[in-house]
Amino acid sequence: MNRLLGQAGRYLVAGGLGTLAHLGLMTLCVESLGMRPVAGAVVGFAAAVGVSYALNHYWTFQSSRSPVQSFWRFLLVSILGLLMNTGMMFGLVHYLGWWYLKAQLSVILIVPATNFLLNRYWSFSSRAE
């Protein structure tokens, strides 16, 4: 249980840093580059993948799985998260009329919990687990 809580805490820190990268780049894309909010969210999400992978592989989960193998698994989990993120952003912005940052902050409450479980038990688990 202590290991799970430690990983969850480190995952939150890594996710927070990835989220800052995501929100910062998304805001830059929308406000300075004139991109549409959903497209900006996709760009921000892609940047967050790189930050999050490195922190999660080497620090959060201290994975013994090959970095190449864990990256592809992490990438698949991230793509699932991207699909969830994009779909929810689209619905909240275009159907409910939410401001894009409010929508993204709401999505951030759901996607990371799903990704933590998938990454812990699949992407970064040792082959023996």
Side-chain angles (χ1 to χ4, degrees):
M1 184 63 151
N2 285 338
R3 182 171 185 227
L4 175 66
L5 292 175
Q7 286 178 335
R10 289 187 299 274
Y11 189 82
L12 287 173
V13 171
L17 294 171
T19 298
L20 287 175
H22 183 163
L23 290 174
L25 192 54
M26 179 182 70
T27 303
L28 174 73
C29 287
V30 172
E31 300 297 335
S32 298
L33 302 178
M35 292 177 72
R36 295 188 182 270
V38 174
V42 171
V43 172
F45 189 89
V49 167
V51 171
S52 296
Y53 171 76
L55 289 171
N56 284 313
H57 180 80
Y58 295 106
W59 183 56
T60 301
F61 299 107
Q62 299 169 356
S63 181
S64 62
R65 187 178 291 279
S66 144
V68 172
Q69 189 179 41
S70 65
F71 177 76
W72 288 110
R73 288 176 179 230
F74 180 82
L75 186 59
L76 288 173
V77 170
S78 296
I79 290 169
L80 174 63
L82 173 62
L83 293 173
M84 290 172 58
N85 184 85
T86 304
M88 292 188 319
M89 277 291 290
F90 185 83
L92 293 171
V93 170
H94 292 287
Y95 290 113
L96 298 181
W98 288 20
W99 181 49
Y100 74 97
L101 285 177
K102 176 184 176 187
Q104 187 64 66
L105 290 171
S106 298
V107 170
I108 286 169
L109 297 174
I110 298 166
V111 174
T114 303
N115 285 4
F116 173 75
L117 294 172
L118 289 170
N119 283 317
R120 183 177 198 276
Y121 292 107
W122 186 62
S123 302
F124 298 113
S125 67
S126 72
R127 286 177 214 111
E129 292 180 331

